[in-house]
Amino acid sequence: MTCSRRGAAAALAASSLLAVFTTATPASASATTAGAAVGGSKVVCTSEKPGLATRLSGDIAGALDGRQDTSALALYDRGTGTTCELRADTHFDSASVVKVTVLGTLLREAQEAHRKLTPQEVRLTKAMITKSDNDATSALWHQIGSAGFKKFLDLADMRHTVPGSGGSWGLTQITAADELRLMQLLTTENSVLTTASRAYALDLMEHVTAGQRWGVPAGSPASAAVHVKNGWLQRATDGWRVHSVGAFTGSGHDYGMTVLSSGNLTMDYGVATIEGAARVIHRDLSGAR
């Protein structure tokens, strides 16, 4: 296949995927948009549920007000036709949340080769997601390669994500918006990942070890299946990067959120920032059902 044909195929797949995402939270004449200021930026929410956009934007801003870090957030809820964002296109070092994208890339490559994952790939993906094993991630990162990773980003329409150079997968540049697209990709039918591939990824994220189930699951409904992946990284400048991405499915739940943060003095401080926002989101969405 020529480069031009590959590009056309990627564009077609991305177009199909965008159509799925658009219909997941359709706009309507009854949808309303509201915003609330926080830290020099604004939380902007749109919802078809009366009053929900105003309530969510205000509560998220209230939860993040006064926090001494820089955070970004993106949210979708298919049931109420709701989206929210805060600094959703701001770049952050990915830390370990990039591991879900590595998994997606591997699953897509296996699909294209019309094969199942090998026993070694199963072992590595399980360690990478459920235990956040770095050695397993490095092995898969080198296996899929930069070209394979970039191809998946194109197909998934994660257009603002920039792969880390060499073996530095943890320095991949991500945005809250792109990470939310990945959560949407995993939770709805699309042309990029099959039902089996999506189920495999979600199952691993549902079985993350107990010590790593902090972040966006905080305050989630007991009836929801929780799929999560977190990341944390300390660097010499700008303190700790602490991130959490997740999707919540089953029993009438169909939503996801991504919260990224940097400039944290400690990891615990970043976790508290994420969980403060997550709790009000879960509360407001549960109250709107």
Side-chain angles (χ1 to χ4, degrees):
M1 181 180 289
T2 64
C3 290
S4 60
R5 288 176 63 191
R6 283 197 298 268
L12 178 61
S15 176
S16 299
L17 182 59
L18 279 173
V20 170
F21 288 173
T22 300
T23 57
T25 51
S28 73
S30 62
T32 59
T33 298
V38 58
S41 298
K42 182 176 286 189
V43 180
V44 178
C45 297
T46 298
S47 181
E48 295 180 0
K49 188 77 172 182
L52 184 56
T54 299
R55 185 160 60 253
L56 267 172
S57 59
D59 287 347
I60 293 170
L64 296 176
D65 185 45
R67 302 299 295 174
Q68 301 301 308
D69 50 11
T70 299
S71 56
L73 178 148
L75 162 73
Y76 73 87
D77 178 50
R78 293 189 177 100
T80 59
T82 299
T83 61
C84 292
E85 64 175 35
L86 167 69
R87 305 187 191 99
D89 291 329
T90 298
H91 281 99
F92 294 79
D93 296 329
S94 67
S96 289
V97 296
V98 76
K99 294 172 181 178
V100 183
T101 313
V102 173
L103 175 61
T105 304
L106 178 67
L107 291 170
R108 174 67 189 191
E109 289 186 347
Q111 288 174 199
E112 292 182 350
H114 304 289
R115 68 172 180 84
K116 296 181 179 180
L117 297 185
T118 67
Q120 180 183 18
E121 288 170 340
V122 170
R123 177 180 61 81
L124 291 174
T125 54
K126 182 177 180 180
M128 176 176 68
I129 300 298
T130 66
K131 299 179 181 179
S132 205
D133 185 275
N134 290 340
D135 290 338
T137 308
S138 293
L140 291 171
W141 177 262
H142 289 298
Q143 176 180 325
I144 62 178
S146 177
F149 191 77
K150 290 177 181 177
K151 180 180 179 181
F152 180 77
L153 294 177
D154 287 341
L155 290 170
D157 194 39
M158 297 170 68
R159 61 188 180 277
H160 296 300
T161 299
V162 182
S165 61
S168 301
W169 46 262
L171 297 184
T172 296
Q173 297 300 292
I174 61 170
T175 68
D178 273 8
E179 290 302 302
L180 193 72
R181 289 187 183 95
L182 184 56
M183 296 303 102
Q184 292 172 304
L185 178 72
L186 293 176
T187 55
T188 191
E189 184 177 353
N190 61 80
S191 61
V192 181
L193 293 175
T194 64
T195 299
S197 291
R198 292 186 288 108
Y200 182 78
L202 289 172
D203 181 69
L204 291 181
M205 294 174 69
E206 189 176 358
H207 291 91
V208 167
T209 187
Q212 295 180 21
R213 295 185 68 79
W214 46 265
V216 296
S220 60
S223 57
V226 176
H227 316 276
V228 65
K229 184 69 193 81
N230 296 323
W232 56 100
L233 172 68
Q234 184 182 29
R235 301 192 69 186
T237 58
D238 212 18
W240 282 86
R241 286 76 164 150
V242 186
H243 314 314
S244 186
V245 304
F248 305 87
T249 64
S251 300
H253 307 287
D254 189 3
Y255 63 100
M257 71 181 86
T258 62
V259 188
L260 314 179
S261 70
S262 66
N264 298 286
L265 292 178
T266 65
M267 178 178 167
D268 286 346
Y269 190 90
V271 172
T273 294
I274 294 168
E275 293 189 343
R279 286 192 179 94
V280 299
I281 290 170
H282 290 302
R283 183 192 67 201
D284 289 352
L285 292 180
S286 294
R289 299 189 189 287

